[in-house]
Amino acid sequence: MIDLTPEEKACDYDWQLVSVGQRFVRTAIEFVPAKMVRREYFIKVYKKVRVDGSADPVFVQPHVPNAVITRSMATASLLAKIIHDKYELDVPLYRQIKDLQRLGLDVSETTLCHWTINSAEVLAPLYDLMHNALIHQPFLQGDETPTQVLKEPGRKATSKSYMWAARTVRSCATPVVYYTYNQSRGGQVAKDLYSGFTGVLQCDGYSGYNNLKDVKRVGCWAHVRRKFYETVRISNTLKTCEPLKLIDYMFFLENMWHKLAPKARRRLRHSKMKRLLKQFWSWCDTSDALPKSGFGKAIKYAQDQRPYLNVILQYGAIDWSNNATERNMKSYVMGRKNFLFNGVPEGAKANAILMTMIEIAKANGLDPMTYIVSLLDELAQFPEWRKSSYLGDYLVSD
């Protein structure tokens, strides 16, 4: 409340100042800088003695809550801030050091690395449970992207490794997003990732997914569109490219239908999308584009994926493209552009675990930092033998 100064309130002897209420002027948003708080814990110790002195005294003290990381001053809130800054704001650890120093904490990059890896170890049992929940879903999407780890045993520092991602479809009531790191992009990694999954998987044309047993595979129309778009973008013929116009109209219709129930989408796809698919494949089959030209390569890609692309008509729950997974993968790629590489495999595994927790929170409308604080704080209190029975309570919820 802004008031008159005493001088402004002063009146001549024949005047009197009377308050008549208040008037709203404007709203202002102020930034209050964060700060580090050092807390020292003491416990009260008691001695229980017999009144008659017939027994030795017994010392009693309260239970001390477990630290998130043994013999470390880092609390759940500090760890969550470091994780949030790295994986949500894409600020690598070496750049966080100066900000932490300004807040009063002098810490090395090595320590921050250990803290993130140890935080991931606390969350690892829940991470495994989320993978188990993922593979029991009826519909999944998958993707993978390169990453670099400098000190992998038996490999050069320049060797290429991979971050794999799998997630539920957009229509899933409780979305799950899961990342895993591996040195390889081979089909065996896909087999391990989707081991136990017997539903429908949507992915791109990468051959590593070809040998998944008991999995029905569907394609991604965004990848097909990208091939044609890259071909015609330079020649400035976007408006006259017939296959691109057909694909864009497919996506226009899908955007109109995306909130419908799967059965309704399936009916609409059969009634309206079949005709567009027939026109698209007719154009591809009769095109005289040279095999090594841009159009030729785009047509070859589409025709190789034809069985997987057509089968989407049968599944109303599956999206027309794999873009949801690619957006999750982009979250990792944006961070990778800043931190460039991982020093050790443990760091890459920690990236997968922490990215999983953050992206799951975001997909379920939760605040990621608050979610991670609660996970670290509470999971640290569970004795090892109790973790498996209590972890189900920490899967995402409203």
Side-chain angles (χ1 to χ4, degrees):
M1 178 68 70
I2 302 174
D3 201 353
L4 296 173
T5 65
E7 292 78 10
E8 291 171 330
K9 287 182 178 181
C11 298
D12 295 335
Y13 70 93
D14 55 346
W15 287 87
Q16 183 180 5
L17 196 64
V18 179
S19 174
V20 293
Q22 62 187 33
R23 182 172 65 87
F24 173 79
V25 178
R26 62 187 173 90
T27 298
I29 306 297
E30 184 174 340
F31 171 70
V32 179
K35 63 179 179 179
M36 293 288 176
V37 177
R38 178 188 178 99
R39 300 188 186 278
E40 296 184 346
Y41 291 85
F42 295 85
I43 58 173
K44 193 77 173 179
V45 181
Y46 295 87
K47 182 171 70 172
K48 187 188 294 185
V49 297
R50 291 188 65 89
V51 177
D52 58 6
S54 60
D56 293 335
V58 178
F59 289 93
V60 182
Q61 61 186 36
H63 170 71
V64 181
N66 297 331
V68 178
I69 301 173
T70 305
R71 294 185 295 277
S72 172
M73 294 188 298
T75 61
S77 60
L78 176 57
L79 295 170
K81 173 191 164 38
I82 294 167
I83 293 167
H84 167 272
D85 287 358
K86 178 175 180 180
Y87 298 101
E88 280 200 87
L89 303 184
D90 305 322
V91 182
L93 297 180
Y94 74 89
R95 283 173 49 194
Q96 292 189 39
I97 293 174
K98 290 184 179 179
D99 190 38
L100 293 173
Q101 288 175 340
R102 283 191 289 269
L103 294 173
L105 178 63
D106 192 3
V107 65
S108 68
E109 184 181 354
T110 301
T111 298
L112 294 186
C113 289
H114 288 313
W115 283 357
T116 54
I117 291 173
N118 290 333
S119 297
E121 289 175 354
V122 173
L123 300 173
L126 181 57
Y127 168 79
D128 294 336
L129 191 66
M130 287 174 172
H131 179 254
N132 184 63
L134 181 81
I135 62 174
H136 285 90
Q137 292 290 326
F139 303 101
L140 294 181
Q141 297 175 324
D143 197 15
E144 73 290 326
T145 192
T147 192
Q148 188 177 1
V149 183
L150 299 184
K151 298 179 181 179
E152 289 175 316
R155 306 185 81 204
K156 295 180 180 179
T158 54
S159 299
K160 188 182 293 184
S161 298
Y162 289 87
M163 187 67 74
W164 294 67
R167 63 158 290 151
T168 52
V169 292
R170 288 192 302 171
S171 59
C172 181
T174 53
V176 178
V177 183
Y178 182 85
Y179 296 81
T180 185
Y181 146 78
N182 199 284
Q183 295 180 3
S184 171
R185 198 193 180 195
Q188 185 58 46
V189 183
K191 285 184 179 180
D192 294 340
L193 175 57
Y194 296 101
S195 176
F197 175 61
T198 57
V200 179
L201 174 65
Q202 185 175 42
C203 54
D204 59 21
Y206 173 52
S207 61
Y209 297 102
N210 289 349
N211 297 322
L212 295 177
K213 294 182 179 179
D214 303 319
V215 173
K216 301 177 185 68
R217 182 173 163 189
V218 299
C220 168
W221 277 96
H223 281 81
V224 178
R225 183 188 185 279
R226 198 171 300 151
K227 302 292 184 182
F228 284 98
Y229 180 84
E230 290 171 355
T231 299
V232 301
R233 176 177 55 87
I234 300 175
S235 60
N236 197 26
T237 57
L238 296 176
K239 294 182 179 180
T240 60
C241 179
E242 184 64 21
L244 197 58
K245 288 165 63 177
L246 289 168
I247 295 174
D248 284 346
Y249 189 54
M250 294 178 197
F251 276 101
F252 170 76
L253 293 176
E254 281 293 324
N255 187 54
M256 293 174 59
W257 304 337
H258 83 278
K259 291 185 179 180
L260 299 178
K263 287 185 178 179
R265 277 212 295 183
R266 185 175 181 273
R267 285 196 301 268
L268 287 168
R269 285 176 178 176
H270 275 274
S271 64
K272 296 189 176 183
M273 205 69 85
K274 262 188 174 181
R275 176 177 56 84
L276 295 174
L277 288 177
K278 186 177 180 179
Q279 293 176 15
F280 175 81
W281 294 122
S282 176
W283 186 94
C284 290
D285 293 340
T286 58
S287 173
D288 57 358
L290 296 174
K292 292 187 178 181
S293 67
F295 268 119
K297 293 177 181 178
I299 293 170
K300 178 70 164 55
Y301 178 86
Q303 290 178 329
D304 288 346
Q305 293 295 299
R306 189 169 184 165
Y308 304 125
L309 294 167
N310 285 344
V311 79
I312 301 181
L313 295 176
Q314 307 301 322
Y315 304 105
I318 286 285
D319 295 326
W320 203 245
S321 76
N322 199 28
N323 282 346
T325 314
E326 293 206 346
R327 283 191 291 270
N328 292 128
M329 194 59 84
K330 186 176 181 180
S331 296
Y332 175 76
V333 170
M334 293 300 291
R336 185 189 63 192
K337 287 182 178 179
N338 287 331
F339 61 71
L340 300 179
F341 52 79
N342 300 279
V344 293
E346 290 78 11
K349 293 175 184 176
N351 286 347
I353 293 173
L354 298 173
M355 283 293 298
T356 295
M357 300 303 164
I358 286 174
E359 292 300 313
I360 283 182
K362 288 161 62 175
N364 286 270
L366 304 177
D367 176 65
M369 191 166 176
T370 302
Y371 184 53
I372 292 203
V373 169
S374 64
L375 289 180
L376 292 176
D377 245 342
E378 298 185 34
L379 292 181
Q381 306 312 313
F382 288 161
E384 193 66 32
W385 62 273
R386 290 178 61 188
K387 282 185 178 178
S388 60
S389 61
Y390 278 78
L391 282 176
D393 296 337
Y394 291 90
L395 290 173
V396 287
S397 59
D398 295 333

